[in-house]
Amino acid sequence: MSMPMPILLLLLLLLPQGQGHGGAGDICIVGSGISGSSTAFFLTNYTTALSGAQLRVFERRAKVGGRLATVTVSGDHFEAGGSIIHPRNLHVRRFADLLGLEAKTDGDDDWLGIWDGHRFVFQTLRPLPPGTSWLRRKLHTLVNSLRLFKRYGLSLLKMDRFVQEMLQRFMLYYNGFESRPVFDTVEEMLKWSGLYGLTRRTLEAELLDAGLNSQTISELVTVITRINYGQSVSISGLAGAVSLAGSESGLWAVKGGNWQLAAGLLEAANATLHLQEGIDSIEYAGDHYILKSNKGLEYNCVATVVATPLDEVNITFSPPISIPARKTQHTHATFVRGILNPKFFGLSSVSDIPKLIGTMEVPEIPFSSISILKKYSEQDMTYKVFSRVKLNESLLDQIFSGRKETIRINWPAYPHYEAPEVFAPIILDGKQLYYVNTFESAASAMETGAVAAENVARLLIARLRLPLPSRPAAPAPDHHDQRADL
Ligand SMILES: Cc1cc2nc3c(=O)[nH]c(=O)nc-3n(C[C@H](O)[C@H](O)[C@H](O)COP(=O)(O)OP(=O)(O)OC[C@H]3O[C@@H](n4cnc5c(N)ncnc54)[C@H](O)[C@@H]3O)c2cc1C
Ligand SMILES: *[C@@H]1O[C@H](CO)[C@@H](O)[C@H](O)[C@H]1NC(C)=O
Ligand SMILES: *[C@@H]1O[C@H](CO)[C@@H](O)[C@H](O)[C@H]1NC(C)=O
Ligand SMILES: *[C@@H]1O[C@H](CO)[C@@H](O)[C@H](O)[C@H]1NC(C)=O
Ligand SMILES: *[C@@H]1O[C@H](CO)[C@@H](O)[C@H](O)[C@H]1NC(C)=O
């Protein structure tokens, strides 16, 4: 499948140069989130025929990372978007290791309460004070398990089996090149691992078939899908299984912020980063693409990778592309330094409010979850509230008895999942225009972004007929642009 290097170089030289910036040999990536940055990383990691100097990454914002970002509340930084990483998310795990980023783990000792709008229908035990003996801690864990078992019974085991089965299939995407094809479409990619079926039906239908009882689905499972995707158990099965995996133990995050993954990957790839430069249009010009940015600049690219969801962004394609409509689920993340009002929860003391408030699917409940991010004192904490709609002042004044600081972020967070899912193509125009975020219709997460990006990188390398795996490096065109240096 490889073409001798001199011929490839000749072809690149013969491509028209246009009046735009950069040679026609550039590969352009739109978006610097985990999808765009891992595409850049895999492209340079998989073939030495490509150098960082040929990679341009466009980011309309002033910072890389996209939906990986921190928010600062009273001088402390917290994850505002994508926050937790599963221990079996191998790409992200490897990225962190390679980039020398430290992992931070949560205590598994969460005090969960399930709120139905009137009362907490279920609570795990409140955490033990620090310094409690080993034996008492073991006992505590045991009692917690028994409480869960008493309410949800064997459904807990069935839920775990459902998640493990999904994870096992997902792990096939880490197979070596010999035993894993390059995929042209998301359908093909999901069918190969046996995960496609899960995108055809709702999570609820899948779990009922797996033998879970309806109480477990309407309480525990609902709490988890509302926290992770702001949606009910009618989301599609694969997104549901991914969100359930997000309730397992051993979860971690990058110390100092997950956005550093994106920054580090772009740096490792030596990509040329164009910050605060949004792409307005992508035009196919016979044998290359002309990207026009909001700075009035033009770039010629042999291949273009769209690494952002296209559902709520305005990029004009010419010729036009057609992709299935996909709704975006907005998640409003409200960060509050202050103190919750126990009366809102029918309680007399703040100390009786669980650390993590999950909610059932009841229209009157105005939020999806509330969690404590930091405890300064018994009467002073920082909370993260997720909701489907913006929380107004009067509502916040009912939920909180005191507020020192409030920060609101309205995320175009993830797809609004609706089984059966339909997928946009990976190759948008049958040529060299690729779309990473079509895979988000299967499930949205940092790791799924990386897995989709890895496939796109392999596909692009194969379709540009670059040597894979590594061959001696081709001389890179001269560039004097700013390197990714963050
Ligand atoms: C509140 C919330 C909680 C989440 N929790 C988790 C979690 O715990 N664990 C997990 O794994 N995942 C979580 N996710 C999902 C995860 O954050 C996303 O799936 C992932 O970060 C998406 O990365 P991406 O690179 O595909 O897209 P994005 O991060 O959205 O990156 C796209 C980038 O493209 C840029 N862009 C858009 N249009 C243009 C243009 N025209 N020109 C130039 N640049 C453009 C954007 O500014 C953005 O930086 C969460 C998401 C949200 C919102
Ligand atoms: C490719 O990535 C691996 C880590 O996954 C790293 O060890 C290796 O050095 C990288 N190679 C190149 C050429 O970037
Ligand atoms: C990035 O640049 C550095 C320094 O010029 C070089 O050592 C490294 O190999 C380059 N990495 C890639 C992936 O091109
Ligand atoms: C996209 O463009 C349309 C029409 O010009 C406009 O109404 C809409 O607000 C724009 N959306 C975004 C996300 O910029
Ligand atoms: C605030 O939001 C609540 C719940 O969405 C709504 O009932 C109420 O009318 C809103 N109040 C104001 C002042 O907008």
Side-chain angles (χ1 to χ4, degrees), residues 5 42-52 54 461 466-476:
M5 279 318 292
F42 285 118
L43 281 174
T44 50
N45 192 261
Y46 284 170
T47 176
T48 46
L50 270 177
S51 81
Q54 285 168 275
I461 288 168
L466 299 174
L468 172 88
S470 302
R471 293 277 165 83

Side-chain angles (χ1 to χ4, degrees), residues 9-22:
L9 276 179
L10 192 67
L11 282 178
L12 292 181
L13 288 172
L14 287 175
L15 289 171
Q17 296 294 307
Q19 323 86 321
H21 282 56

Side-chain angles (χ1 to χ4, degrees), residues 8 11-17 21-29 50 54-56 283-291 299-305 429 431-434 460 463-464 466:
L8 174 75
L11 282 178
L12 292 181
L13 288 172
L14 287 175
L15 289 171
Q17 296 294 307
H21 282 56
D26 288 350
I27 292 173
C28 297
I29 300 173
L50 270 177
Q54 285 168 275
L55 288 183
R56 290 181 186 279
E283 182 192 334
Y284 183 63
D287 48 10
H288 66 287
Y289 296 87
I290 302 171
L291 271 58
Y299 300 87
N300 294 334
C301 319
V302 277
T304 300
V305 178
D429 63 349
K431 301 185 182 77
Q432 297 294 343
L433 181 60
Y434 302 88
L460 190 156
R463 287 166 50 85
L464 274 187
L466 299 174

